[in-house]
């Protein structure tokens, strides 16, 4: 008998067919809308495997009702949407998709940095709204990227990839991490510093650390006020690391120059969110890994992780 698997979002046919060869597959029919909680609560009771997205909260109550569940394959690098402790207690293997989205997310991070620095979305809107009536010396002036100082909080794979891109712009790169990354320091000429120093010295601060109990609200009003008034904050990691209320006040009061945000504490973000009222914020809908190639690869890795566990083998990417 084939194991039963529930897929929480409709994916491309090649991924669905790969799973159907070895599983009895059920799935939520929408590509865009997350599976409703009540549907997921019902479906998880009968399955051996769950293929989910970061939009699903796989919490204790859900896991306790999943008597047959063997594996939760998360199509993401982060897994703060899953109660890992309860999963381990119940013997459920949790997997993720590291590595495959590194370069794509680094591309987006640097693109967001440049778009924010040079006010590109604002300038495009300015032109389209018919406000460009003449050239003037200080019209829509931004901040230089070339030759500036970049501070990276979190020197994992994506942090290293962003640092490589920064080298092409002759940027000085500082970083802060839970542990020093000596190999990256040697290869990329990085300088390890304490967080306070990084905030004070950097022209750009990129948040690239995972969301954990230690990093929740890591950047609050105190930290933002340490930054230069001309500094730019970029967050492509997870919402919740930067305190959004504090960021709003820092931007409104001119404590920092601008911010580029791809992630929010609550997603999708409300159109009434205060940050969306500010002209000096570039906002994106969590598209760090959103290239066709990368998203397909993430789905493939998640599928392999799931199938390996159901076949009694160790998956390539378990969450330890």
């Amino acid at each position: 008998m084939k194991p039963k698997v529930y897929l929480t979002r409709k994916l491309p046919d090649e991924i669905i067919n790969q799973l159907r060869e070895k599983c009895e597959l059920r799935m939520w029919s929408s590509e865009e809308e997350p599976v409703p909680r009540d549907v997921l609560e019902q479906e998880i009771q009968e399955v051996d495997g769950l293929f989910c997205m970061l939009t699903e909260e796989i919490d204790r109550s859900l896991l306790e009702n999943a008597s047959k569940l063997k594996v939760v394959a998360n199509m993401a690098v982060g897994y703060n949407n899953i109660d890992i402790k309860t999963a381990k207690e119940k013997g459920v293997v949790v997997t993720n998709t590291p590595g495959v989205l590194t370069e794509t997310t680094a591309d987006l991070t640097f693109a967001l940095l440049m778009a924010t620095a040079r006010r590109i979305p604002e300038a495009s809107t300015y032109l389209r709204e018919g406000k460009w009536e003449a050239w003037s010396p200080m019209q829509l002036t931004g901040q230089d990227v070339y030759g500036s100082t970049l501070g990276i909080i979190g020197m994992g794979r994506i942090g290293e990839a962003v640092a490589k891109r920064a080298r092409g712009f002759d940027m000085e790169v500082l970083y802060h991490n839970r542990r020093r990354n000596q190999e990256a320091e040697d290869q990329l000429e990085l300088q390890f510093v304490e967080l306070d120093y990084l905030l004070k010295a950097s022209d750009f601060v990129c948040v690239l650390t995972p969301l954990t109990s230690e990093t929740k609200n890591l950047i609050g009003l105190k930290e933002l006020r340490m930054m230069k008034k001309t500094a730019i904050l970029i967050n492509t990691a997870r919402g919740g690391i930067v305190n959004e209320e504090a960021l709003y006040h820092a931007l409104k009061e001119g404590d920092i120059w601008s911010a580029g945000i791809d992630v929010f504490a609550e997603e999708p973000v409300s159109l009434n969110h205060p940050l969306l009222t500010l002209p000096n914020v570039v906002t994106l809908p969590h598209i760090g890994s959103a290239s066709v190639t990368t998203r397909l690869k993430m789905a493939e890795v998640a599928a392999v992780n799931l199938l390996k566990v159901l076949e009694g083998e160790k998956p390539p990417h378990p969450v330890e």
Side-chain angles (χ1 to χ4, degrees), residues 203-222:
D203 299 301
F204 298 88
V205 173
C206 280
V207 178
L208 293 168
T209 187
L211 175 61
T212 65
S213 57
E214 289 79 21
T215 62
K216 186 174 177 61
N217 291 319
L218 178 68
I219 306 299
L221 198 55
K222 173 190 168 187

Side-chain angles (χ1 to χ4, degrees), residues 90-152:
K90 292 183 61 63
V92 176
V93 178
V94 177
T95 67
N96 66 342
T97 61
V100 296
L101 49 67
T102 298
E103 300 300 336
T104 303
T105 305
D107 281 349
L108 187 280
T109 301
F110 215 83
L112 183 56
L113 183 155
M114 294 186 70
T116 307
R118 296 301 302 273
R119 301 169 65 180
I120 289 173
E122 186 182 355
S124 178
T125 300
Y126 184 87
L127 183 153
R128 289 168 182 263
E129 290 180 349
K131 295 178 181 178
W132 186 28
E133 297 178 351
W135 183 90
S136 63
M138 301 304 289
Q139 184 179 65
L140 292 165
T141 48
Q143 303 290 346
D144 283 323
V145 176
Y146 184 85
S148 61
T149 298
L150 171 63
I152 299 176

Side-chain angles (χ1 to χ4, degrees), residues 136-299:
S136 63
M138 301 304 289
Q139 184 179 65
L140 292 165
T141 48
Q143 303 290 346
D144 283 323
V145 176
Y146 184 85
S148 61
T149 298
L150 171 63
I152 299 176
I153 302 173
M155 190 49 65
R157 291 186 182 97
I158 297 171
E160 289 183 31
V162 170
K164 288 177 185 176
R165 286 154 177 77
R167 281 297 171 204
F169 285 78
D170 203 21
M171 300 175 86
E172 179 184 0
V173 183
L174 312 176
Y175 82 98
H176 179 76
N177 201 45
R178 187 173 56 179
R179 291 186 295 271
R180 288 189 70 165
N181 188 332
Q182 193 63 55
E183 184 179 353
E185 287 183 37
D186 295 341
Q187 291 180 352
L188 300 170
E189 300 179 9
L190 312 180
Q191 182 182 351
F192 176 80
V193 296
E194 293 303 319
L195 180 59
D196 287 4
Y197 182 86
L198 182 149
L199 294 169
K200 292 173 184 177
S202 300
D203 299 301
F204 298 88
V205 173
C206 280
V207 178
L208 293 168
T209 187
L211 175 61
T212 65
S213 57
E214 289 79 21
T215 62
K216 186 174 177 61
N217 291 319
L218 178 68
I219 306 299
L221 198 55
K222 173 190 168 187
E223 289 74 22
L224 291 163
R225 285 177 173 166
M226 290 181 186
M227 294 170 63
K228 300 177 182 180
K229 288 189 179 294
T230 55
I232 295 171
L233 178 75
I234 304 295
N235 185 10
T236 56
R238 280 290 187 269
I241 300 171
V242 178
N243 183 295
E244 291 169 3
E245 183 179 355
L247 179 60
Y248 170 78
H249 287 293
L251 289 162
K252 191 171 178 60
E253 298 302 319
D255 294 320
I256 65 172
W257 195 73
S258 64
I261 307 295
D262 184 45
V263 289
F264 292 86
E266 297 291 335
E267 296 180 352
V269 67
S270 167
L271 291 179
N272 296 319
H273 196 295
L275 284 173
L276 302 189
T277 68
L278 299 176
N280 54 339
V281 182
V282 178
T283 53
L284 299 175
H286 204 146
I287 59 169
S289 62
S291 76
V292 174
T293 300
T294 295
R295 287 285 170 86
L296 279 172
K297 185 62 177 175
M298 289 170 67

Side-chain angles (χ1 to χ4, degrees), residues 6-24:
Y6 188 70
L7 177 57
T8 64
R9 199 72 62 89
K10 188 177 186 299
L11 290 174
D13 288 344
E14 54 262 51
I15 305 301
I16 293 171
N17 293 338
Q18 180 183 354
L19 292 169
R20 274 200 172 125
E21 281 183 17
K22 298 184 177 180
C23 305
E24 182 182 326

